[in-house]
Amino acid sequence: MMRLDQPAYAAALALLLSLTPSCAKKNAEQKAKPAESATAEPAPAVKFAKVTERKLSPTLELTGTLAADETSEVASATSGIVTKVEIDVGTRVKKGDILVQLDSRDPALRAQAADASATQALAKLGVKAGQKFDPNNVAEVRAAKEGMDLAVSEADRTKKLYEGGSISASQWDQARSRAEQARAQYEGALNGAMQGWAGLAAAQSQANLARKSVADTSIRAPFDGAVAERRATVGEFAPMGKVVAVVVRDETLRLRIDVPETDASKVTAGKEVTLTVSAHPGKTFKGTVKRVGASLKAQSRTLPIEAEVANADGQLKPGYFARAYVELGEADTNAIFVPRAAVGSSGSASRVFVRSGNRVVERIVTLGREIDGEVEIRGNVGPNDEVATERVDLLQDGADVNVAASGAK
């Protein structure tokens, strides 16, 4: 190993110390260069639009839920094995369409037996189908009546002979006895015919019940609508009363809303209602108040009302949450509207950005009605303000913007 002598070592150490400050300075300059070369990002170009002022009738803003006009849990009126399921969830049905088919062989056989019993009873009475029943036309009754008439005639003749002294008292007693027996036989035959008629009615009722059981194996839609639930599967046993499907009538929906007690007197049947749903942003639907509750709900102190909403195109679904605006029919007032694109969100609140020189100021607003792509807002926004319609979700309160090329009006 080479060893430096003391003078050489001292010279090398001096050279090293002289170079260290210059290197440190050079490194510091190199680190400072990126910071010096960095430039601030330009303010984003943002388009603005002037708010629109409209004269509108005052409304009452409420929330509610859409419900089917009618909901039916279609149940089986008889029991049997499910042989066919004609529907599924969402299937459109007409009144009388078969939803589920049960095995009809057993009730069909019972219906045949009941029909045979009814036909037999009808033949025994000698009555043709559709003919009015007269017990005196029954063969047994007719024969008994003829025998009774003959016996009564003989008894009358015998009585005259007895009274004239031509025959003895015993002969008159015999003739009178035969007449009474014949009358009893007639009355018995008459009663038997009436019993037979009652039996026929019972047999026909049994036949009708049997035929109904056959018809009940075809479970049908109670009205026009759509299937909301399917609860039957081929091969399972469906007892009487089992719900096999849920059908809803949805061509007209019911909007159920609760009106605060303070506004209850303002809402009456016939008032127009405008509503929006989250499933169709920017689209409005119309309805009419049809039913007003008879009393307030004790806990919420609100009055339940129902509005009917046409839904022939099926865009609305039962269960949708809706925001409703009930027209109060009072004098028109000024309302502030902005383009839909100008509305952003901050948590659960809605906001717009108002132009202030080359900056934007955030305004928290409450949304109202939507008309022609514009949204009514309520808040600290004036009729002469301009609102940002671009980059709304990226802007912040007090942010600089480039309005020179913004296209602001």
Side-chain angles (χ1 to χ4, degrees):
M1 180 177 180
M2 183 183 298
R3 177 175 294 178
L4 296 175
D5 55 11
Q6 187 172 0
Y9 177 77
L13 181 60
L15 178 62
L16 179 62
L17 292 174
S18 65
L19 291 175
T20 300
S22 62
C23 290
K25 182 178 180 182
K26 184 176 180 181
N27 289 337
E29 290 176 352
Q30 289 177 348
K31 290 180 180 179
K33 280 183 180 181
E36 292 174 358
S37 61
T39 58
E41 293 185 3
V46 178
K47 290 184 179 181
F48 288 83
K50 291 198 67 174
V51 302
T52 304
E53 196 171 20
R54 297 173 182 258
K55 281 194 173 293
L56 295 176
S57 173
T59 60
L60 184 63
E61 182 178 345
L62 302 164
T63 56
T65 303
L66 289 168
D69 186 37
E70 287 188 61
T71 300
S72 176
E73 293 188 338
V74 185
S76 172
T78 187
S79 58
I81 301 295
V82 177
T83 58
K84 190 180 295 184
V85 179
E86 301 284 0
I87 47 86
D88 211 327
V89 175
T91 303
R92 304 296 306 183
V93 295
K94 294 290 186 181
K95 181 179 180 179
D97 286 353
I98 295 177
L99 306 179
V100 174
Q101 180 66 53
L102 305 182
D103 187 357
S104 62
R105 290 174 295 178
D106 184 59
L109 291 174
R110 289 200 301 270
Q112 290 178 3
D115 284 335
S117 297
T119 302
Q120 184 180 14
L122 198 64
K124 186 177 181 180
L125 291 174
V127 181
K128 296 181 180 180
Q131 184 179 3
K132 185 177 180 180
F133 174 68
D134 184 356
N136 289 308
N137 291 330
V138 178
E140 290 83 356
V141 177
R142 190 166 55 248
K145 187 175 186 307
E146 290 174 357
M148 180 191 70
D149 292 341
L150 180 59
V152 169
S153 298
E154 289 181 355
D156 290 340
R157 288 194 299 269
T158 302
K159 180 180 179 182
K160 291 178 180 179
L161 291 174
Y162 169 71
E163 291 175 349
S166 300
I167 61 174
S168 63
S170 61
Q171 290 176 313
W172 157 237
D173 291 337
Q174 291 175 0
R176 182 173 56 188
S177 177
R178 286 193 298 269
E180 291 175 353
Q181 290 176 359
R183 184 177 288 105
Q185 290 176 357
Y186 168 71
E187 291 176 354
L190 193 64
N191 290 334
M194 297 301 295
Q195 290 177 0
W197 176 252
L200 172 62
Q204 289 176 333
S205 296
Q206 290 297 326
N208 291 335
L209 287 174
R211 284 192 291 271
K212 181 180 181 299
S213 295
V214 175
D216 287 343
T217 59
S218 298
I219 306 175
R220 300 177 182 273
F223 45 71
D224 295 355
V227 177
E229 296 181 41
R230 165 188 164 174
R231 299 185 188 176
T233 304
V234 173
E236 72 172 318
F237 177 76
M240 183 183 296
K242 173 183 171 60
V243 175
V244 298
V246 178
V247 178
V248 296
R249 190 199 299 274
D250 58 356
E251 288 187 356
T252 299
L253 298 181
R254 298 186 181 212
L255 174 63
R256 294 172 177 167
I257 49 183
D258 292 333
V259 181
E261 181 178 3
T262 53
D263 298 314
S265 61
K266 301 177 182 177
V267 180
T268 57
K271 295 285 187 182
E272 291 188 359
V273 179
T274 302
L275 63 138
T276 60
V277 294
S278 300
H280 299 284
K283 187 174 179 60
T284 59
F285 301 88
K286 295 292 185 179
T288 305
V289 176
K290 291 293 185 181
R291 288 164 286 274
V292 178
S295 63
L296 272 67
K297 295 180 179 179
Q299 294 183 344
S300 60
R301 306 305 303 170
T302 56
L303 180 69
I305 68 171
E306 287 188 356
E308 289 188 355
V309 182
N311 187 41
D313 54 6
Q315 293 190 64
L316 299 174
K317 303 294 182 185
Y320 274 179
F321 177 81
R323 187 176 298 277
Y325 305 92
V326 182
E327 302 288 344
L328 299 180
E330 300 174 359
D332 292 351
T333 58
N334 291 331
I336 300 296
F337 281 77
V338 298
R340 180 70 196 179
V343 181
S345 60
S346 177
S348 59
S350 299
R351 63 179 180 173
V352 297
F353 288 94
V354 177
R355 175 184 171 186
S356 178
N358 290 330
R359 294 189 176 187
V360 291
V361 179
E362 183 184 55
R363 295 279 190 265
I364 301 298
V365 295
T366 301
L367 303 185
R369 291 160 285 186
E370 290 192 28
I371 300 177
D372 299 332
E374 293 189 325
V375 185
E376 179 187 7
I377 59 171
R378 305 184 189 95
N380 187 19
V381 179
N384 297 318
D385 287 335
E386 296 178 357
V387 292
T389 58
E390 288 184 338
R391 305 174 183 265
V392 174
D393 291 333
L394 302 177
L395 295 176
Q396 295 181 349
D397 186 29
D400 292 331
V401 293
N402 178 7
V403 297
S406 65
K409 297 180 181 178

